[in-house]
Amino acid sequence: MRPVSASAAGHLRAGGSSRRVIRTMIGSMAAACTFSNVSAVNVSQKTASQRPASEKTASGTSASSPLGSRLRASGRPASLALSVAVASAAVLPALAAGPAAALPRDDKPAPSASPGAPGKPSNDPPPADMSKVGGDQLGQAGTQVRLGPGAPVLPKDVTGRSWIVADAESGQVLASHNAHWRLPPASTLKMLFADTVLPKFPRDQQHTVTPADLAGMGPGSSLVGVKPNLSYSVHDLWLGVFLRSGNDAVHVLASMNGGVPKTVQDMQAQADELQALDTRVVSPDGYDMPGQVSSAYDLTLFARSGLQNKDFREYCSTATAKFPGAEGKDKKRETLEIQNTNRLLTGDLGLTPYKGIAGVKNGNTTNAGSTFTGVAERDGKVLLVTVMNPAPGESQAVYKEAARLLDWGFAAEGKVTPVGELVPPKSATAGTGTGSGSAQGSAKNRTGQAAAAKGESGGIGIALGVAGGALVLVAGAIFLLNRRWPIRKR
């Protein structure tokens, strides 16, 4: 598959007021692979009478109109909507042109690149007593799901050591497996890095990189190709973080933020604010370090928080972009084309872009194995999924398993009883008592943490690929994300 020109991707626009929804409906020009292969697992079934009424998804928007309607339900949470404009057929010639220069697309460090690591993921079983943040059932080991009448069974071929499927709007957790198991996060931890640091610098700010900025990167780190003594915009650096998972770009931004130790401290504070209490930050880039852990639950919180920021949404959904390269003798900079390593967004290596995918971040290290958090929209429903460390038997397993879980989540809408919820930040619940599960889980998490311590964009909600020489639009252009607390202005 040939990389798609960045000019072919749609451009992100923030929606209007916090209670106005702007939607642009775009149909699919070709069907995308949905990996809908499901079978029975040992789960509990609940009847409809046992299921509590769930929150309704905001609606009332014409599917044929680019303009949305005002949310009418009283007491609805503040909402954020994105409208995506897709490039016209005039971009097709650009798709036929190869990149000026290509970078390797392997996000995995060398086997020796894990300080203090045994060289392979641990095979230890999940702890019997995990955090209960978000609900008691989320603290239980094994698969947690409550199927109602007509609900599809979970896919049998999901081997991730930990995973979660949640409604991005209501925060309801539809199903999970060892949701609070503390595991190495790999580059999915960059979601927390971005949620913490991205709001601090304007995207057009220029920074000349020094050798000190790049110091301290682990051997075998994934790189975008940042060079010392050259200038880069903050926008360029964030493209390097999200598309190439560039640890070099992370270290430069961390240096701008006051250095790696301060950035780690800031990230830990942000994790605590989000009630992501399974997380212990040691390196800002997710590189394998002793004691650095997170969980499928926490990674999903990071994604949900980051997606409130329009720049975060743009970067995590960008398929391809131009990145400044070396400086020639004539003082002119060459341009490199970089492609997102998120295979559900860009396809390749036997995968088709997932219908409705809109980001967010993948990772792969020796200790963590493969990790992935994704967000996708279908028929007005927005789901978040995180998969950590699937078995190595299947090629590109982390993406295929995430796609199967997303398929299940969309099919299970309204047919399952939630097993928990994604809690809001502390600042949104101070004095309100709405952060269910957080109080009882806090002390338990702290104990566990102590133990762990011993440019162009490809618009959100779309993915473009070339298959058989044809342009394939594989996702709708709607992306609506509601929080259960007021959206913070950034």
Side-chain angles (χ1 to χ4, degrees):
M1 179 178 293
R2 186 175 301 227
V4 180
S5 169
S7 62
H11 291 284
L12 187 74
R13 298 197 299 270
S17 69
S18 64
R19 294 186 58 82
R20 184 173 300 277
V21 178
I22 299 176
R23 293 187 171 188
T24 301
M25 302 296 295
I26 297 180
S28 175
M29 295 173 58
C33 176
T34 58
F35 306 106
S36 51
N37 181 10
V38 297
S39 183
V41 293
N42 294 324
V43 294
S44 62
Q45 296 221 15
K46 300 291 182 180
T47 64
S49 62
Q50 293 173 294
R51 229 184 306 135
S54 61
E55 294 183 73
K56 295 182 179 179
T57 301
S59 59
T61 306
S62 171
S64 60
S65 169
L67 298 177
S69 63
R70 186 177 299 274
L71 298 181
R72 304 182 187 279
S74 90
R76 277 290 296 176
S79 65
L80 181 66
L82 303 180
S83 167
V84 181
V86 177
S88 68
V91 304
L92 284 172
L95 298 179
L103 291 174
R105 304 194 303 183
D106 186 8
D107 189 36
K108 185 171 183 175
S112 61
S114 302
K120 61 181 180 179
S122 169
N123 291 319
D124 294 339
D129 192 20
M130 292 180 283
S131 166
K132 292 181 172 59
V133 170
D136 289 348
Q137 196 166 352
L138 296 179
Q140 299 177 23
T143 300
Q144 308 300 320
V145 66
R146 298 176 183 174
L147 300 178
V153 295
L154 283 162
K156 65 178 181 180
D157 43 0
V158 175
T159 65
R161 305 187 83 194
S162 175
W163 55 258
I164 192 170
V165 183
D167 186 313
E169 296 183 271
S170 69
Q172 295 176 340
V173 177
L174 306 183
S176 69
H177 180 78
N178 302 324
H180 281 291
W181 193 359
R182 295 184 181 91
L183 297 168
S187 286
T188 45
L189 193 65
K190 289 182 172 77
M191 294 186 296
L192 175 61
F193 172 73
D195 190 45
T196 304
V197 178
L198 197 155
K200 297 186 177 184
F201 305 105
R203 58 192 288 146
D204 59 352
Q205 180 175 333
Q206 294 287 325
H207 177 77
T208 299
V209 176
T210 68
D213 292 341
L214 299 172
M217 286 189 297
S221 287
S222 51
L223 306 172
V224 68
V226 175
K227 305 297 182 185
N229 305 316
L230 293 178
S231 178
Y232 297 84
S233 69
V234 167
H235 174 72
D236 292 332
L237 294 170
W238 283 116
L239 287 172
V241 171
F242 278 94
L243 274 69
R244 294 295 315 153
S245 206
N247 290 2
D248 46 357
V250 169
H251 277 251
V252 172
L253 287 162
S255 179
M256 294 172 63
N257 187 54
V260 167
K262 179 182 182 299
T263 300
V264 166
Q265 184 179 24
D266 290 349
M267 290 171 64
Q268 190 66 63
Q270 178 67 357
D272 291 349
E273 157 64 14
L274 296 176
Q275 303 197 65
L277 305 179
D278 297 326
T279 298
R280 180 171 182 264
V281 184
V282 180
S283 67
D285 48 24
Y287 189 87
D288 285 339
M289 297 291 284
Q292 180 155 272
V293 290
S294 190
S295 67
Y297 184 88
D298 284 10
L299 294 175
T300 307
L301 289 181
F302 301 153
R304 194 173 186 230
S305 179
L307 288 165
Q308 306 305 303
N309 184 308
K310 66 182 181 65
D311 287 336
F312 185 106
R313 297 191 301 268
E314 176 187 345
Y315 295 134
C316 80
S317 65
T318 298
T320 64
K322 303 297 184 183
F323 190 82
E327 191 175 81
K329 294 181 180 180
D330 57 359
K331 299 301 182 181
K332 291 184 178 180
R333 301 280 292 273
E334 67 175 340
T335 299
L336 305 175
E337 183 174 273
I338 57 175
Q339 179 168 309
N340 203 312
T341 56
N342 175 355
R343 306 295 184 225
L344 290 190
L345 183 67
T346 61
D348 208 354
L349 299 179
L351 292 176
T352 302
Y354 187 83
K355 181 181 178 182
I357 193 70
V360 281
K361 192 70 189 75
N362 57 303
N364 196 325
T365 66
T366 302
N367 284 357
S370 296
T371 60
F372 176 70
T373 297
V375 63
E377 182 275 340
R378 194 176 295 176
D379 298 326
K381 193 74 171 178
V382 187
L383 297 181
L384 282 161
V385 63
T386 295
V387 177
M388 301 184 75
N389 197 356
E394 183 178 28
S395 174
Q396 305 298 315
V398 76
Y399 302 111
K400 293 177 181 178
E401 295 189 10
R404 291 170 188 142
L405 289 171
L406 285 170
D407 282 347
W408 175 85
F410 288 123
E413 178 185 358
K415 301 174 183 176
V416 297
T417 299
V419 296
E421 69 168 352
L422 301 177
V423 295
K426 290 179 181 177
S427 60
T429 61
T432 66
T434 59
S436 68
S438 60
Q440 71 233 41
S442 180
K444 189 181 297 293
N445 273 276
R446 294 307 176 198
T447 302
Q449 284 187 1
K454 287 214 250 198
E456 295 94 346
S457 71
I460 197 159
I462 67 169
L464 295 173
V466 178
L471 176 65
V472 182
L473 179 62
V474 297
I478 309 168
F479 180 79
L480 171 66
L481 181 65
N482 291 334
R483 267 188 164 174
R484 301 179 67 180
W485 60 89
I487 294 173
R488 294 168 291 176
K489 294 182 180 180
R490 296 187 180 181

